[in-house]
Amino acid sequence: ACGPGAPNCERDFYQGTLVTLMPMPEEGSSFTGWSGDCVGSGACVVTMDAARSVTATFMLSQYALTVSRSGGGGGTVTSSPPGIDCGTDCSESYTYGTWVTLTPVAAPGSTFSGWSGACAGRGACVVTVDGVRSVTARFTREDHGGTDFNGDGQGDILWHHQTTGELYVWFLDGT
């Protein structure tokens, strides 16, 4: 067997022996093909009628990290290494094993209130990309004493006419 502990493998075989080589990618890697005395991407079979040389090529897999935002507030999420700037670009593929740090930035009038998915809590979010991952950043509107009567995350106005006793509610959409 060839591998990380034996990167250059040589064996002697009798003249005319059929040798079958099978690619065995490790976790987080994929086999991309043969070169030398074998080509293609399946099993490699060589007849030992002369000295032969075969190279198996592997590459680290790529996996998507997707960020979504929730809550009644606003904000963005950026990544290090770069790739995600979620306001506009909320998904990026990273090489297997990459550590990605996500940073939330609340919009004016909003507060970052926590992570869910591949991260939890309110602290730093560091995702190890070892498969497809998703993270949600929750942003809430700052409460300035207003009341949200219709549950849309926007402060609404309640007015009471003192003479007639009538009540009026204005549902504000934030624009």
Side-chain angles (χ1 to χ4, degrees):
C2 293
N8 296 310
C9 304
E10 290 185 18
R11 300 290 185 266
D12 292 325
F13 294 94
Y14 291 110
Q15 176 77 19
T17 301
L18 288 177
V19 176
T20 302
L21 303 171
M22 297 294 295
M24 306 285 287
E26 293 184 355
E27 181 183 358
S29 296
S30 60
F31 175 67
T32 61
W34 302 103
S35 61
D37 288 316
C38 273
V39 293
S41 59
C44 167
V45 179
V46 292
T47 302
M48 299 306 296
D49 53 7
R52 300 286 182 198
S53 176
V54 175
T55 299
T57 303
F58 298 87
M59 65 181 284
L60 290 173
S61 299
Q62 297 277 311
Y63 295 103
L65 171 59
T66 303
V67 174
S68 59
R69 296 171 293 159
S70 69
T76 60
V77 177
T78 58
S79 68
S80 177
I84 293 175
D85 188 355
C86 189
T88 55
D89 181 6
C90 297
S91 185
E92 184 70 23
S93 289
Y94 292 97
T95 302
Y96 175 87
T98 301
W99 290 6
V100 179
T101 301
L102 298 174
T103 303
V105 177
S110 296
T111 302
F112 172 70
S113 57
W115 301 105
S116 62
C119 288
R122 292 183 180 195
C125 174
V126 179
V127 179
T128 302
V129 180
D130 55 2
V132 174
R133 297 285 177 253
S134 63
V135 176
T136 299
R138 181 169 175 78
F139 294 97
T140 54
R141 290 192 57 80
E142 293 175 350
D143 184 8
H144 296 289
T147 303
D148 180 10
F149 292 106
N150 61 350
D152 67 354
Q154 306 293 324
D156 301 318
I157 297 174
L158 173 66
W159 182 72
H160 176 248
H161 191 281
Q162 289 187 346
T163 305
T164 65
E166 294 176 311
L167 292 175
Y168 297 92
V169 176
W170 284 272
F171 298 110
L172 306 178
D173 65 5
T175 57

